[in-house]
Amino acid sequence: LYQYAQRTADYVRNLEELHAIRASAETLAELARIYNFEGDYARQEEALKELITLEQGRDPRHYGDLARIQATRGAPEDAIRTLRDM
């Protein structure tokens, strides 16, 4: 609903509050997607790290996304470490 009303900031705020109350993979994945869309890569990186931990590394796509962000942000060593952890 927020997205269609172009109220992304309100939507993100609500998701962050929901996450603070009860962390879930769905909420973190949605936050990571929105952070990426908005170009907020630092927050996306943190959300993906938390998501990987929460899911105990079950989804390799999150590792790939995280490694791409780390490499793009100038941390290729972190990207390599992330891919090795996959």
Side-chain angles (χ1 to χ4, degrees):
L1 205 63
Y2 289 107
Q3 294 158 316
Y4 299 118
Q6 297 181 357
R7 294 175 52 196
T8 306
D10 292 335
Y11 183 51
V12 168
R13 194 168 28 260
N14 284 343
L15 285 174
E16 289 170 342
E17 289 175 13
L18 284 172
H19 175 67
I21 294 168
R22 186 178 61 94
S24 76
E26 295 81 17
T27 302
L28 279 170
E30 181 70 1
L31 283 168
R33 186 188 66 74
I34 293 169
Y35 294 150
N36 178 271
F37 179 77
E38 293 183 340
D40 191 345
Y41 304 118
R43 289 171 78 186
Q44 182 187 17
E45 183 176 347
E46 292 308 312
L48 285 169
K49 286 178 182 178
E50 192 172 345
L51 180 58
I52 289 168
T53 300
L54 183 68
E55 290 186 329
Q56 299 174 338
R58 281 177 253 151
D59 191 338
R61 292 175 300 175
H62 301 313
Y63 285 97
D65 291 343
L66 178 58
R68 276 190 292 282
I69 291 166
Q70 291 167 326
T72 301
R73 295 186 71 220
E77 299 84 15
D78 292 342
I80 291 167
R81 196 171 16 264
T82 296
L83 291 174
R84 283 187 181 148
D85 289 345
M86 189 168 17

